Structure formats: C-alpha cells, structure tokens
Amino acid sequence: MANTDSVGLRVFSLNCWGIHYLSKHCPQRYAMIGDLLCKEQHDIVLLQEVWSEKDFLSLKQKLASTHPHSHYFKSGVIGSGLAIYTKHRIHDTFLYRYSLNGYPYMAHHGDWFGGKAVGLAILNIGSLTANIYVTHLHAEYCRDKDSYLPHRVVQAWELQQFIRHTSAGADLVILGGDLNMHPQDLGNRLLRTSTGLRDSYSETAKFDGCENGMTLIADNPFISQKELGPFEKGIRIDYILFKDSSKAEIYCDFMSTTKGSVPDHPFPYSDHEALTAELRLETRTRTEAENDRKVMSQDAAAGKLAELVDIVTEARTEVKVGLHCAERMRYTATRTGVMGLALLFLELAIAAVPWLALGAEQPFPRTSFYMLAALCFAILVTTFLLYIFYTMELKSLQGAEDQMRLAVGSLQERLRGFPLAQPHSSQRRPPEGLEPSAFDPEE
Amino acid sequence: MANTDSVGLRVFSLNCWGIHYLSKHCPQRYAMIGDLLCKEQHDIVLLQEVWSEKDFLSLKQKLASTHPHSHYFKSGVIGSGLAIYTKHRIHDTFLYRYSLNGYPYMAHHGDWFGGKAVGLAILNIGSLTANIYVTHLHAEYCRDKDSYLPHRVVQAWELQQFIRHTSAGADLVILGGDLNMHPQDLGNRLLRTSTGLRDSYSETAKFDGCENGMTLIADNPFISQKELGPFEKGIRIDYILFKDSSKAEIYCDFMSTTKGSVPDHPFPYSDHEALTAELRLETRTRTEAENDRKVMSQDAAAGKLAELVDIVTEARTEVKVGLHCAERMRYTATRTGVMGLALLFLELAIAAVPWLALGAEQPFPRTSFYMLAALCFAILVTTFLLYIFYTMELKSLQGAEDQMRLAVGSLQERLRGFPLAQPHSSQRRPPEGLEPSAFDPEE
C-alpha cells in the first residue's frame, strides 16, 4: 500500500470535575490543566465536567495561542460540561441531548441538571474531514444495584445512533469522554460493535499509564475506596475511541494516562486520570483505497452481525427492566395522587357535613384543617409533576425499545439472507467515507 | 445523460389533528384516512399529530397489506405524534427531540407536551438509500406577536442541522411534515438554503390542489377565519421537500392537495389538507454521475453562501430576541421568588415577635397565618420550577446562538477565500452521496 501522506494527531481527554465549591481545589486544578494544555499543545482537547462557562472562557483565553478554536456545548441547567479546544478550525457543531438522564429529584446525584449530551465538532485536518465527538454519560453510583442502568444503556444506544448517522461523510471519527462504563459493560460493547469504533488503549503500540488503562484509581487522593467498590485498584471508564475510513487509516502509536499525582503539585488534575492518544493518520488516494479495499469474509461479517444482534437484544432486555420500573414508579405516583385527592375530599366532607347539618361553627380544628389541606395540595402537585416526568421517561424507554426491536429485525433479516448475499456483493455501496460498521446495510 | 433506471415514488403527508375528545370526529376521520391510504397505496406515508398510539396501531393493522413497514416515533408526554408507513422495509430509525418547544404551563397550547421532534427512517428503494424525515414544528398562535418565534427558529436550525449531518450517506432525502411556517418565513428559508432541500410544490410539473398550494384553508369546515388572521383564503405550512444526489436525480411530476372537502363524506380528513407528491427517481451509475457532475459557477456559489450568511444572521437576531425575553422571564421568576421568601420571613417575624416578647398566645389570626404561609410556599415552589425551566431555555438558546455564530464565521471565512478557491476545486470532495449544500466545506 502506498501512503500518500502521514499526519500525527494528539488527542487529549479529561473529566475535569469542575463543580465549584464542591470539587476540591477547583481553581487551582483548572490552572494546572491550563498549564498542561499550553505545554503539551495537543491537537484536540476534549474536556468533560466543565460545569461553569467562566472556566471554559478562562481556559479559552489561556489557550488562545496554542488552541485558537474552541466550542462549549450548552445543555440542561448547568451543562453539558462538554468542551473542545483544537488547533484546527471548527467548521460546524451539533449537539444531541440524551432523552434520559436520571431524575431531577435526585439532586444530590445532579446528573439530570447536567443535561448530559454528545457534542460533535467537524474539523478539517489537512484534506480530511474529521468528526470529533465528546460525551459524558450518566454516572454509576452503585454497581450492584444500579438504578440508572437502563438510562445509561439508552444513552449508549443514542450515542451509537448519533455517531453512525452523522459520520457517513467523515473521513475519520474520534470519540473522547467519560462513558461511565467499564470496557466490557453492555453499553460499551453496544457502542463499539455497532459503530466499529476502536479503543485506543487496546490498539496502542506503546502504553504508559495506570495498570489496565484505569482512569479512576485508588492512588488518586480525590478518590475514596468506597467509590471503587470491589475494584480495589481502580476502573477504566474514560476512553478515546477512533474509526478510520477508506481515505485514511488511523494507528495509535502511543497512549498515556496520568497516574494519580502530578510532579511538583500537591494534588492531581482531577479525580479522573487524563488520557492522551498519539494517533497517526495515513491518508490514501481514492484509487489506492479501492485497490486496498478490505473485504471481510462472509463468515466474519455474519459473526459480527450475530454478535450485534445478541448485544442489541441484551440492551432491549435492560430497557424492558427500566420500562417495568418506570411503570411501577408512575403507578405509585398515580396511587399517591389519588390518595391525596381522596384525603382532600374526605377532609372537605368532614368539615362541611356538621356545618351544613347544624348551621353552626364547624367543629374541625382550624389549624389541622389548613395543615391537612396544604398537605393534600402538596401531594397532588408533586404526584402530578412526577406523573408527567415518568410518562416522559416511559415514552423515551418505549421509543428506544421500538428502535432496538426494529434494528434487531433488520439485522436478523440480513443475517438470514447471508448465504445469498455473495452474488450481490459487487453492488455494495462504494467505500467512500468510513469503513462499514455492522449496522450498515449491505444492499 | 443516460439514465439507468427510473422509479416512481408517491409520498403522502398529513397532519391528522388526532386529539381525541378535542378534535372533531376523530375516529371517523381516522377511518377515512385509513380508507384513503388503503386505496391510494402511496409508497411513503408521513403523518403528524397521531397523538394516540392506539390510532397508529389501528392504522398499522388496516395498512398491513399495503404498507407492511411502519414506525411510530415516541417523545414528550403524548408525542411526538409522528408516524411513517411505507411499502419499503425500514432499516433504521432515529429521533431528534427539539431542545425548545414552548412552555409546559401553556397547557392550552399543548406543544410542550407533544415533545416535538424530527424522525428519521432509513429505507432502501431499489439500490438507493433513502433518508425519510418527518417532523412537526411548534404552532404559530399569533403571527403579529408570536412569542414562540425564537423557539420555532431554533427548531428550524436544529432540523437543518439534523438533516445535514445525518444525510451524508443517503442517495435521496425526503422531508414531509407540518413546519408551521409560511414558504418565505425565516425558518423555512434557513432550512431550504442550508440543506439544499427543494420544495415539491415549487418544482412540480403539474399541480392539482388549493390555490398557492395552501394546506390550511378557509374552505375547510374545521378552520375558523380567526385562525387564518389576515390570510383570508388560507396559508401554506405543510410541505414535502426533497433532495437528490449524484446517484439519483429526483423530479416532481405531479403534486396534489385535498381541497377542504371529501366527496361522499360530510367532513374532510383533517383541519390540514393532505399533500401527495409523485416523484420520479432517475438513478445513475457512478461513471455517469461523474461525467454529469454539475459544477456551480463561482459567482453562484458565492451568492448562495452570502445568502446563507444573511439568513443565519437573521436567525441569530431572532434567537437573541428570545434570549432577552427568557432572561427577563427568569429575572421575573427570581424576583417573585425572593418576594415570596421575604413575605414568609416577614410573616414568621410578625408571628414570633409578640409571642417572644409577651410569652402569650400569638395575636396573628391563625387562618390568615396558614393561608399566607401556604401561599408563600406555593410561590417559592413555582418560581423555583420556573427558574429551572427558564435556565434550561436560556442554555438552549445560547447553545443555538453559539452554533450560529460559529457557522457564520465559518461561512464568512469561506466567502473571503472565494476568489482563490478555483485552483483547488479539483481537490473537492468527490460527489458521492448528496449534492453539496451551501454549508458543505469546499476543501
């Protein structure tokens, strides 16, 4: 294969833990992050949990000479926390807000207020169109009894949909961010298998960083052992993923993570470790690309399809669990609301009957009367709001489940037709753009 | 040009006005719509305002033999109301919920509860990949003083973003739906100019229907003159738009609308008129496409870019108006909340002072005390919820404005470089996929 050009691309990703007054040493850590970025001059910097726009702007100012182009993605009440700084001009941006993202009344978890989303920035790197995605998924607070799992699975489903559908025109795709999923978690498998994204940690030629590429480690002073649960040394939940195309091949030459402490500083950059991937893009001319076109064997393609069917089916099961749970919650809200209404009527009846019958001053103690009425109203308002919220949650879960069912049907149809697919393989879509993922139709 | 193949494609779009108990003759009209679709056997049926899933399912059952493939897009509390029925297998679907969609407390308008969105279904029509979009934008209740205009402009912005970013791999794009915008409204111009979508009413060779292609007409018995305002005869707000690619050219041979009454029936299908576009797809081989490649003159391309810059700038101004309004609303909510809190403290102080000083029974009348306290709490809760809502609205408006600013900058940069663009034009992205829109980078 004759490569026409080779370009290096250094990508950085960090969850900044930027909650003012709650995150420890926030201003000092931002100063450290700014210094690091100025010094390292990565091509693309993807940040998460930049909850304050002020912090984005002060970093922007600091990085004005090294990273002249930037974008801050806004979403939710205080989010989305996603930011990108780059050496390459950003031509276009787009934001997809996940339809499910926790519960507003779980204010101590705060995810709902963050308006979790996936941001897309389109850059030109040399002659290549690069789709750069940055995202942050719902946190996992308790792995054993993870009530947010259906939400995170739906987020992973929407993330892969967004990437698949928006990247057809791209020559390379890079996704960086805090997925809040272990490497073999359902959502992660779903994302990788359906999009064809490759993990730079698994692909790298050389690695320097925490054991197993972990990004939330026990050695980080901001991390308590409780957060890590049974994973004593740490977990890997932050990623830089990439996908090449017929116009460019991507290799990961080197990957590194920070290791929980920073030389000459009393504390690390964040509670998460920062990732750096040194990628090499080898661009190819169209003729070379066509000559080099990788043809997947029929068995391998069928195997990949079958794997995807299994994963989507597993995801569907998880969404169904979420549906069942949301239905139960809505039912509880409805029942409580009805009880509140009944109590209100009962109170009014008790108060009204003696007054009507005797025409005298009502015997119901006034204080209790008003307190009880206020309580009933509070119950009614709260349960009404909860009913609305759970109905929206149900719609989103049902919507995701419908889409998954349709996808499984479509994949199975293709799988059934596999032995017959060969005669038509020459009609296959020409390989402009990205390498096909398992989802792309063959016809 | 040698056409290798010609395929007819009949597309239908209708806003069904399917609000049970509120819309007149809802079940009868659904029966009529079902009969029409069974008889006409369009290739693709795009429906809006199918608010009840039961109606979707009963239509699905009725159309099982003529339109075996269908999808219902779920969103919001009762929405999204979007449905698609088709003869061609649906391979994949995706839904984008607009970030802004009215206000929940404007319950009589109901748009917020509808969870307005744009649905995408991907079909294979012969050897072509077709991206079919169906959408419904926020209604316009008062054209002179349209407080929802910034929301609708942001919806149009997100719609064009969604279509542009998801259609790179498509050979043809069709968008049908109720845009709630007149043909020359800002959002409509933004949508058409940025995506390159063409209006089947303007493009059709033959037309049979209401004057000027109107879809909300005075002759429809469900429409009151008040709704049409100064437009006595009616307005055109429903559309079928399309875009071809280098692999297929699309022609609109015939277009029709219903005319406010249905022969042998006492009332029409809906308060909107139904649209039918008879499209003809002429597929081309890759070699033909390359030979035929349309090259836009530099002047025309620069003119198109300049027009888009103007339109996006106009949209940005409208979003800024929305921002100003949302900021004022949030300020009002905050001030009211603070006043509620002050009132509560005042009440507690008045009640506590004599009691502390005299040690006697408090002189504050008990009924008034509880009523006032309940009022204060109600104010606090309501203003808190409003504050959260307006903050989210602000974030979305700011996000859209940021994206527009970036887009204008990027477009202007390209516009500045125009006289120098010619020498590089041979490096331009090969015309696989769709014809380039004004937004697509040239490099």
Side-chain angles (χ1 to χ4, degrees), chain A residues 74 92 164 290 402, chain B residues 74 92 164 286 290 402:
Chain A
K74 288 171 188 158
D92 211 347
R164 276 195 303 116
E290 290 196 8
D402 289 349
Chain B
K74 287 171 189 158
D92 211 347
R164 275 194 303 115
R286 197 162 150 181
E290 290 195 9
D402 288 350

Side-chain angles (χ1 to χ4, degrees), chain B residues 1 22 89 117 134 166 203 219 236 293 302 341 357 394 411 426 440:
Chain B
M1 192 194 82
L22 285 175
R89 185 172 188 96
V134 55
T166 56
E203 300 267 334
D219 289 344
R236 182 156 85 95
R293 199 172 131 194
L341 197 66
L394 274 171
L411 291 168
S426 61
D440 297 328

Side-chain angles (χ1 to χ4, degrees), chain A residues 74 76 92-94 97 99 161 164-166 169 286 290 366-367 370 395 402-403 413 429-430 432, chain B residues 74 76 92-94 97 99 161 164-166 169 286 290 366-367 370 395 402-403 429-430 432:
Chain A
K74 288 171 188 158
D92 211 347
T93 54
F94 191 27
R97 294 160 182 85
S99 65
Q161 281 188 312
R164 276 195 303 116
H165 291 299
T166 55
R286 196 162 151 182
E290 290 196 8
R366 205 166 269 187
T367 312
Y370 289 112
K395 283 268 169 189
D402 289 349
Q403 290 174 345
E413 170 118 341
R429 228 182 142 61
E432 296 301 317
Chain B
K74 287 171 189 158
D92 211 347
T93 54
F94 190 28
R97 293 160 183 86
S99 65
Q161 280 188 314
R164 275 194 303 115
H165 291 300
T166 56
R286 197 162 150 181
E290 290 195 9
R366 203 167 271 188
T367 311
Y370 287 112
K395 284 270 169 188
D402 288 350
Q403 290 173 345
R429 227 183 143 60
E432 296 302 318

Side-chain angles (χ1 to χ4, degrees), chain B residues 27-39 55-68 85:
Chain B
Q28 295 93 320
R29 287 191 294 103
Y30 268 118
M32 284 166 62
I33 292 169
D35 292 342
L36 173 78
L37 296 178
C38 275
K39 193 184 127 213
D55 292 324
F56 166 77
L57 292 173
S58 74
L59 270 183
K60 181 177 170 161
Q61 205 173 5
K62 200 166 183 174
L63 303 178
S65 59
T66 54
H67 299 80
Y85 298 92

